[in-house]
Amino acid sequence: MSELTDDQLKFIGTPQFHQSIRYAYNQRTHSFFFYTQLEGSREMTPIGMFSPLLAEDIPYNPQELVETIADVMSRSDTTYDFDFQDDDPRPRKPTA
């Protein structure tokens, strides 16, 4: 593929997605797990989990919610560190 011209880059704008997010459903734990690929590697790293409280008669479409979560994760260009030893549950300053 050829490189884009300056006019094409101006028209397209800045990249909308910063990382590729995939998700999988685990039926045993009734949870959705989110994964991203490590940079420069083929390894997938788990980065999040969502689990509906109900297993039946869920009053919303879990697929739409999970896809929305994955979309938000893929657009984020900021990372956060949590220190679970600390009593303060707020995230530290962004690192990116």
Side-chain angles (χ1 to χ4, degrees), residues 24-85:
Y25 176 70
N26 183 323
Q27 188 172 10
R28 185 179 58 82
T29 61
H30 187 51
S31 302
F32 293 88
F33 291 88
F34 298 90
Y35 300 89
T36 191
Q37 188 173 359
L38 289 176
E39 193 169 328
S41 171
R42 298 178 81 172
E43 182 179 346
M44 298 297 283
T45 302
I47 59 169
M49 183 195 79
F50 167 74
S51 180
L53 295 176
L54 301 173
E56 296 178 359
D57 297 328
I58 300 174
Y60 56 87
N61 182 350
Q63 182 177 357
E64 287 181 21
L65 184 56
V66 169
E67 288 179 0
T68 301
I69 292 169
D71 185 60
V72 169
M73 287 179 165
S74 67
R75 294 172 193 269
S76 179
D77 61 352
T78 307
T79 60
Y80 296 91
D81 290 325
F82 292 89
D83 185 359
F84 293 106
Q85 302 297 327

